[in-house]
Amino acid sequence: MKKAELKEYRERLVALRLRLRGDVTQMANSALKKTRSESNGDLSSMPIHMADIGSDNFEQEFTLSLMENEEGTLDAIATALERIESGAFGQCEECGVKIPKTRLNAIPYAALCVKCAEHSER
Ligand SMILES: [Zn+2]
């Protein structure tokens, strides 16, 4: 991969990391500290039956599980940045084939080719 391309992916990864970190912090704050009365007012326009008792817990659990995924993404981004430095970026960690650019453009922190990613998800 050309240096200019690597630089571009690095910039995208760094930008993505910053954005995710901001989101994680924000989500942690709202999941752990906010109560319904403090939330941003969207709920007041909801019909009463949708704002029933008990959904707070559900919302909190949902947000926290989403955060765990984001932490995983942050790890993947950190690994991808290391691989840019070591020159391994763009190669599948598993089988070593070149990861197609279309995939890297969609998921710049992808460490596996499509085949291996499908395999590891099973
Ligand atoms: Zn592979």
Side-chain angles (χ1 to χ4, degrees):
M1 198 176 283
K2 288 178 202 149
K3 271 191 178 172
E5 286 174 321
L6 283 174
K7 194 170 165 249
E8 207 172 297
Y9 283 119
R10 181 164 54 205
E11 278 167 10
R12 285 188 58 184
L13 286 163
V14 169
L16 193 62
R17 184 170 62 179
L18 283 175
R19 206 176 60 107
L20 278 174
R21 274 195 184 148
D23 285 356
V24 167
T25 312
Q26 224 172 19
M27 282 164 69
N29 286 339
S30 62
L32 297 173
K33 291 179 188 161
K34 256 189 192 175
T35 64
R36 179 176 298 277
S37 60
E38 288 170 319
S39 61
N40 54 24
D42 286 344
L43 286 168
S44 61
S45 61
M46 273 186 183
I48 295 234
H49 67 268
M50 284 186 68
D52 57 347
I53 296 161
S55 67
D56 273 348
N57 266 342
F58 173 77
E59 272 169 40
Q60 188 166 342
E61 276 163 31
F62 177 75
T63 310
L64 290 175
S65 77
L66 211 67
M67 268 169 54
E68 274 170 29
N69 290 340
E70 292 210 356
E71 294 288 359
T73 307
L74 285 171
D75 285 347
I77 290 171
T79 307
L81 286 168
E82 278 167 23
R83 297 176 82 222
I84 285 177
E85 298 306 322
S86 69
F89 182 77
Q91 282 177 354
C92 176
E93 261 185 351
E94 195 70 32
C95 68
V97 304
K98 264 191 180 179
I99 299 174
K101 287 225 177 82
T102 47
R103 178 163 168 78
L104 287 174
N105 287 337
I107 316 168
Y109 49 85
L112 299 172
C113 68
V114 179
K115 267 189 191 172
C116 293
E118 277 177 0
H119 204 72
S120 72
E121 272 165 23
R122 259 173 230 150

